[in-house]
Amino acid sequence: MPRRKRPYLHTLLTGALLMSGAAACTAANSGTPLPVAISVDAAADRHPISPLIYGINFGTPAVLQDLRVPVNRSGGNSASAYNWRIDARNAGKDWYFESVAVNPADINEQFGERFVALTQAAGATPIVTIPMLGRVAKLGPARETLASFSIAKYGPQPNRDVNGHADAGNGVAAGGKPIDGNDANDASTPDDPQNEQARVADLVKRFGGASGGGVRYYALDNEPSLWHINHRDVHPTGAHASEVASKVIAYSRAVKSADPHAQIVAPEEWGWPGYFYSGFDQQYAADHGLDHTPDRAGETQGMPYVPWLLAQWKAAGHPVDVFSLHFYPQGGEYAESGGADSQAVALMRNRSTRDLWDPNYKDPTWINSVVALIPLMRRWVDTYYYPGTLIGITEYNWGGGTLMNGATAQADVLGIFGREGLDIATRWGTLDPSMPVYKAFKLYRNYDGNGAAFGATSVAASANDPDTVSAFAALRERDHALTLVVINKQLDRPADAAVALGHFAPSGVAETWQLADNRLLRLPNARYRDGTLRASLPAQSVTLFVLRGAEAHQE
């Protein structure tokens, strides 16, 4: 059963947040190439690029190996209620609040030892999610599926699982009112830090500790400020800030008691409101608005939710090693269907990657604010926790997975992660070799099929309008090559790029690889001279240049 990701969760704050449509934008329809000036300085803004930014969620061994994926996360709503003792999960709101036995053949249902073994066999590092919800799945005597909102027990419901467990309803009574007072024991059993400590101890016994090749990263649950929506069968009241703060401390101590070198990843919050308001306040705001929210007024003494969590954790010692959030653009860019979308959405996708970095970009959707997420995360840990703490975006997806527009956005996102100094990132959603976004990953990680990759030391690269054409550059240590990714995001217009190269060989040959029309191909080498590389870039394309200089590349 799929775990459905819901990007438009602003509906839970109806009337509380400003709603606005994405501004319409008209693409250039001219076939005349757009002249673009790009500047690269191989001596400026040098810093390491973390290899962990190229991670994914639930990657198959084949995908992990082909894309040389460094980190593979097992997360999502089912992870919040995974019972490691019986290998069962509860899907929550994603699928009729059913507790089901894990299907060993489906990578998307792996949360335990099987996930670790498959990930490590493919050369990647696993991120295992530890539930903090307080209850986990249980099964019937013969491992049969159980329903939290049984139709036989709670009466007719407007929607039920017609293709699976027919007794499982959607938890809504006649008239549209949610069913209250269901028995949590119907499909779940209590869980606590001691049980999860035993789980980590079991993983250590099988795979070794974090310092000896075992599981290194443990994420503490998944989007806890949405428990009252995604897991309302067992947690109908929104989580208070104090509950999440104390649970992270308790479960971190449990994990580290079993493996002192384990790295804790938290709080795994879902999106913009989940950064500033607790689950209790989000639930309250759905009915009363954001004025005078109880947790903000009482528990956090006026502080935003996530910064307050960081301050509480610092006061408790050092329970969190990686500060992690989730982010999905909210202008229609991400849609699970993966089909074609409108020109307006495509243009929004081109520019909304600015939400990751640009302090001058005000998100035009209901967010209605400057996001600049990576600098914001860095500022929060430096101010409220320990400066230099690793920061991660463990769920994101810019949509358009089957479209070249999605590939140009994904390539842009990966470039931004490296340039802005993010430490860990794992993309949410299916990846397979037929998809343009898959090839965007491959261009950075294994463009020639033999392990050749984008460089590991970021250097300065800029274009005059990153909404149309963006550029990212990095030096590669093994051969001292300068790798340059240039992305033409324009929907139907080519670009003529003039790349000014500073502090690098003024002339030479650039090996050229290009993703266009969902094909990743090697093109003829491009020569550059007098410190300038000139190239024609098709509409909706990603081009990688590998520059070694004349003295390093003799034909």
Side-chain angles (χ1 to χ4, degrees):
M1 298 174 192
R3 299 168 326 287
R4 296 188 176 90
K5 195 76 196 143
R6 286 166 167 68
Y8 304 113
L9 291 168
H10 62 281
T11 52
L12 69 95
L13 299 177
T14 301
L17 295 172
L18 178 64
M19 300 291 293
S20 65
C25 183
T26 303
N29 292 317
S30 170
T32 304
L34 174 74
V36 176
I38 296 171
S39 177
V40 175
D41 188 339
D45 299 337
R46 286 195 181 196
H47 64 267
I49 296 175
S50 168
L52 301 183
I53 62 172
Y54 303 107
I56 62 177
N57 283 260
F58 295 107
T60 66
V63 168
L64 296 175
Q65 290 176 324
D66 187 41
L67 297 183
R68 297 176 58 245
V69 172
V71 63
N72 190 28
R73 173 176 174 265
S74 170
N77 291 329
S78 284
S80 294
Y82 174 69
N83 187 335
W84 69 279
R85 293 190 181 276
I86 62 171
D87 200 23
R89 64 186 180 90
N90 185 287
K93 191 174 185 290
D94 288 348
W95 198 260
Y96 301 99
F97 303 94
E98 293 179 19
S99 285
V100 298
V102 163
N103 176 2
D106 186 350
I107 186 64
N108 293 308
E109 293 189 21
Q110 306 313 310
F111 304 96
E113 291 185 354
R114 197 178 299 108
F115 177 81
V116 176
L118 290 171
T119 298
Q120 291 189 339
T125 297
I127 298 179
V128 171
T129 297
I130 297 293
M132 301 192 304
L133 184 60
R135 299 192 71 91
V136 292
K138 78 173 185 180
L139 301 174
R143 294 184 63 78
E144 63 262 35
T145 297
L146 298 178
S148 289
F149 295 105
S150 163
I151 293 172
K153 183 172 183 178
Y154 297 106
Q157 297 164 50
N159 200 349
R160 64 174 184 165
D161 184 3
V162 296
N163 296 315
H165 189 60
D167 186 46
N170 65 346
V172 177
K177 184 179 179 180
I179 294 172
D180 292 325
N182 64 292
D183 186 349
N185 294 308
D186 287 348
S188 72
T189 189
D191 185 38
D192 56 29
Q194 291 71 35
N195 186 49
E196 296 304 325
Q197 180 176 330
R199 177 187 180 190
V200 176
D202 189 66
L203 290 171
V204 170
K205 182 177 179 181
R206 174 165 180 185
F207 299 102
S211 62
V215 177
R216 184 178 184 188
Y217 297 104
Y218 291 92
L220 296 190
D221 213 282
N222 181 75
E223 303 177 346
S225 74
L226 293 180
W227 282 342
H228 64 285
I229 294 175
N230 295 326
H231 302 285
R232 63 182 177 84
D233 56 329
V234 297
H235 203 299
T237 300
H240 286 284
S242 58
E243 178 186 355
V244 176
S246 61
K247 280 189 168 181
V248 165
I249 294 167
Y251 280 84
S252 172
R253 289 173 178 167
V255 170
K256 294 192 176 193
S257 291
D259 189 349
H261 297 286
Q263 301 287 290
I264 299 299
V265 182
E268 298 284 279
E269 275 298 356
W270 71 272
W272 195 245
Y275 307 162
F276 297 94
Y277 295 94
S278 69
F280 189 83
D281 279 354
Q282 290 177 57
Q283 189 177 42
Y284 175 91
D287 295 323
H288 307 286
L290 288 170
D291 292 334
H292 311 297
T293 46
D295 273 5
R296 176 70 73 89
E299 292 196 350
T300 71
Q301 293 84 50
M303 284 184 66
Y305 167 58
V306 165
W308 182 84
L309 289 178
L310 290 168
Q312 300 305 300
W313 296 336
K314 184 175 184 180
H318 202 301
V320 172
D321 302 288
V322 181
F323 169 50
S324 63
L325 297 174
H326 300 173
F327 187 80
Y328 292 82
Q330 296 294 305
E333 296 94 331
Y334 174 59
E336 284 189 296
S337 64
D341 46 33
S342 69
Q343 183 182 77
V345 168
L347 293 171
M348 175 65 89
R349 186 178 287 123
N350 285 351
R351 63 181 179 270
S352 62
T353 57
R354 287 178 177 264
D355 274 332
L356 292 168
W357 65 274
D358 191 349
N360 299 309
Y361 177 74
K362 183 177 182 180
D363 189 296
T365 72
W366 59 272
I367 290 177
N368 193 38
S369 180
V370 172
V371 177
L373 181 58
I374 297 172
L376 176 67
M377 293 179 71
R378 180 62 63 199
R379 186 166 65 250
W380 277 352
V381 294
D382 288 351
T383 302
Y384 301 105
Y385 199 53
Y386 294 96
T389 296
L390 300 183
I391 58 174
I393 301 174
T394 47
E395 280 192 26
Y396 73 92
N397 189 312
W398 250 261
T402 61
L403 309 173
M404 276 304 303
N405 180 243
T408 58
Q410 181 64 62
D412 200 40
V413 166
L414 294 177
I416 290 167
F417 287 167
R419 185 191 67 199
E420 297 298 314
L422 189 68
D423 296 299
I424 297 178
T426 53
R427 179 190 181 273
W428 181 267
T430 299
L431 277 176
D432 71 66
S434 70
M435 299 167 64
V437 295
Y438 182 100
K439 298 179 180 70
F441 266 91
K442 189 158 185 173
L443 197 69
Y444 276 92
R445 295 296 294 161
N446 189 19
Y447 59 82
D448 66 350
N450 293 310
F454 189 64
T457 300
S458 180
V459 299
S462 62
N464 47 341
D465 179 12
D467 294 349
T468 56
V469 176
S470 60
F472 305 93
L475 294 169
R476 200 162 62 189
E477 183 176 354
R478 66 175 175 82
D479 59 0
H480 308 291
L482 174 65
T483 56
L484 172 65
V485 167
V486 183
I487 305 162
N488 183 6
K489 302 180 184 180
Q490 298 178 104
L491 302 185
D492 53 11
R493 188 178 184 184
D496 282 344
V499 183
L501 301 167
H503 296 98
F504 195 73
S507 63
V509 173
E511 183 180 320
T512 307
W513 296 77
Q514 189 172 84
L515 170 57
D517 297 323
N518 197 21
R519 293 182 297 169
L520 176 56
L521 300 173
R522 180 170 181 177
L523 304 183
N525 290 345
R527 291 191 174 273
Y528 67 96
R529 56 179 56 88
D530 300 325
T532 301
L533 169 67
R534 300 184 184 277
S536 296
L537 311 171
Q540 301 191 66
S541 66
V542 187
T543 306
L544 169 67
F545 299 100
V546 182
L547 293 78
R548 296 188 178 89
E551 65 279 4
H553 193 298
Q554 300 294 328
E555 292 189 319

